[in-house]
Amino acid sequence: AGNSGYLLICLHFQLFQILMPRQKYDNCGVVLEVTSGRTTGGDICQQFTQEVFEMYQGYADFKRWTFEILNYTPSGNGGLHHAAAHISGDNVYKHLKYEGGTHRVQRIPETGLSSRMQRIHTGTMSVIVLPRPEEVKIRVDPRDLRIDTFRAKGPGGQHVNRTDSAVRIVHLPTGITIECQQDRSQISNKETALRTLQDQLYRQTIERELSERTSARKGQLGTRAQSERIRTYNFNQDRVTDHRIGYEVRNIKEFLCGQGLLDDLISKLVEVAEMEALTEHFEHNCKPLPADS
C-alpha cells in the first residue's frame, strides 16, 4: 500500500509537470540586486541588507550555483548600501524570481543608539531579481555615451585624492547615469561602469516584457512588483513571515544562512505559483463541455 501511494504521488507529479505551461526564462541565470532602505532608527537597514545579500550568496552555494559579485557598495558602519551579483546555474530564475520586492526587518539595533532608544525599530531593503539569458548581449553605441573622470571620494589615502580614477558614464538616449570608483584603476572602473550600464538597459527591456506578460488576475503571490512588501524578519520574535502565502519560519539565524529553511520557503512559493499558473492555463484554454440536451 505504501509503494502504491508513492507511485501515485510520482505519477501525479509527472502529469502536473506535463500539463504545467513552461515559463519563459525559468532556466536562465539572474542578476540580483539589493538596496538598503529607510529605518526608524540606527543602522539596521545597512546591516540587514548585508545579511540578506550574504543569505543569497549562501543559497547559491547550497544549490551549487555560481555567484559572481558585480557591484558592492558598503556603508561606513560595516553594513551595505547596495550590491549586485550574477547568479548562474540550473533553474536559477525559477527559484529566485519570487524573491524580488521589499523585505522588512524589525529588530533592536545592536550599537549606535542611546539606552533610551534601545527599542524595536523597523527598516526595509529591496531585492530586484531579473533573468539573465546567457546569449543576450546589450550593445551600446559609443556615440550615445558621455564619459567623465573625476577624483574618487572616500577612504583610500592620498592616492584617491590625487588621481582621476573615478568614472561617470551618461547614456544620452535614456539619461541613465552610472558612477564607479571601486578600483584605483580608471580602466577597471570604466569597464565596471559599462557593465553596470548594460545591466540597467537590460533591466529596462526585461521589466517592460515581464510587465506586458503579467497576468490580469492578481494571484496569491501578488504582482511581483519590486515595491511590494513580501516578507518580514522579526528578530525580537525570531520569526520570518512571508505575507503572500502566510508562511512562517522560526530561527532567523538559520534562515539567513540561506540553506534548508530558505529552500523550503522558496519551494513552497514555486509550488503555489505553479498551481496558480496551471489553474489560469485551464481557465483560458479549456472550454467546458456542453450540457446534455
Side-chain angles (χ1 to χ4, degrees):
N3 289 337
S4 298
Y6 177 74
L7 290 174
L8 186 62
I9 292 174
C10 291
L11 289 172
H12 179 270
F13 178 77
Q14 290 175 7
L15 178 62
F16 179 81
Q17 293 297 317
I18 292 172
L19 294 174
M20 180 66 202
R22 291 184 178 273
Q23 299 294 311
K24 189 175 182 180
Y25 301 125
D26 271 1
N27 293 328
C28 296
V30 305
V31 172
L32 180 144
E33 291 189 43
V34 298
T35 305
S36 174
R38 296 180 178 180
T39 179
T40 58
D43 299 312
I44 64 172
C45 284
Q46 290 82 6
Q47 178 186 353
F48 181 57
T49 301
Q50 183 177 30
E51 289 170 328
V52 171
F53 188 67
E54 291 174 351
M55 177 183 74
Y56 291 124
Q57 192 169 11
Y59 188 60
D61 184 64
F62 178 76
K63 302 292 285 187
R64 300 187 183 277
W65 295 335
T66 299
F67 191 94
E68 177 192 0
I69 296 178
L70 304 175
N71 187 285
Y72 195 90
T73 307
S75 62
N77 58 12
L80 183 63
H81 280 303
H82 172 268
H86 178 218
I87 308 175
S88 57
D90 295 332
N91 296 316
V92 176
Y93 185 63
K94 177 179 179 179
H95 287 85
L96 293 182
K97 60 184 174 182
Y98 303 112
E99 293 300 292
T102 298
H103 295 234
R104 184 176 68 168
V105 59
Q106 294 177 313
R107 78 193 319 171
I108 298 175
E110 296 178 0
T111 60
L113 293 178
S114 65
S115 58
R116 289 186 302 173
M117 294 290 287
Q118 291 297 319
R119 55 183 176 81
I120 296 176
H121 291 270
T122 299
T124 61
M125 56 83 62
S126 63
V127 177
I128 295 175
V129 180
L130 293 173
R132 185 72 178 185
E134 297 297 331
E135 69 277 6
V136 171
K137 298 291 183 182
I138 300 294
R139 291 184 172 85
V140 178
D141 190 336
R143 294 173 295 183
D144 290 337
L145 302 178
R146 187 179 77 236
I147 302 177
D148 303 316
T149 59
F150 58 97
R151 293 182 181 179
K153 302 175 183 179
Q158 295 180 354
H159 174 87
V160 170
N161 297 322
R162 289 204 310 262
T163 62
D164 292 339
S165 59
V167 175
R168 179 187 300 110
I169 297 179
V170 179
H171 186 245
L172 299 176
T174 61
I176 294 176
T177 301
I178 304 295
E179 292 185 0
C180 182
Q181 57 180 29
Q182 291 184 176
D183 202 279
R184 291 189 174 189
S185 166
Q186 183 185 114
I187 295 176
S188 178
N189 285 332
K190 181 179 177 181
E191 292 174 350
T192 300
L194 283 172
R195 286 197 303 268
T196 304
L197 173 61
Q198 289 177 319
D199 287 338
Q200 292 272 15
L201 294 172
Y202 175 79
R203 178 197 299 177
Q204 287 188 349
T205 302
I206 293 296
E207 285 183 337
R208 185 163 54 247
E209 179 179 343
L210 292 178
S211 176
E212 293 171 355
R213 293 167 58 90
T214 299
S215 169
R217 178 173 65 85
K218 182 178 179 181
Q220 190 175 10
L221 289 180
T223 61
R224 274 195 279 153
Q226 303 298 343
S227 60
E228 183 180 6
R229 191 189 74 187
I230 64 170
R231 195 173 296 156
T232 294
Y233 304 69
N234 189 316
F235 279 78
N236 189 50
Q237 299 178 2
D238 196 27
R239 184 182 67 218
V240 178
T241 304
D242 193 287
H243 303 290
R244 297 163 295 181
I245 59 175
Y247 191 95
E248 291 190 354
V249 182
R250 296 288 178 174
N251 196 338
I252 287 184
K253 184 177 180 180
E254 183 178 344
F255 186 87
L256 289 173
C257 289
Q259 298 186 8
L261 291 183
L262 176 61
D263 193 49
D264 289 344
L265 172 54
I266 288 177
S267 297
K268 184 63 176 179
L269 289 167
V270 171
E271 178 185 334
V272 171
E274 288 181 341
M275 288 302 299
E276 284 191 348
L278 187 60
T279 301
E280 186 174 353
H281 176 73
F282 282 134
E283 288 178 354
H284 286 80
N285 296 283
C286 298
K287 298 180 179 179
L289 295 174
D292 293 336
S293 55

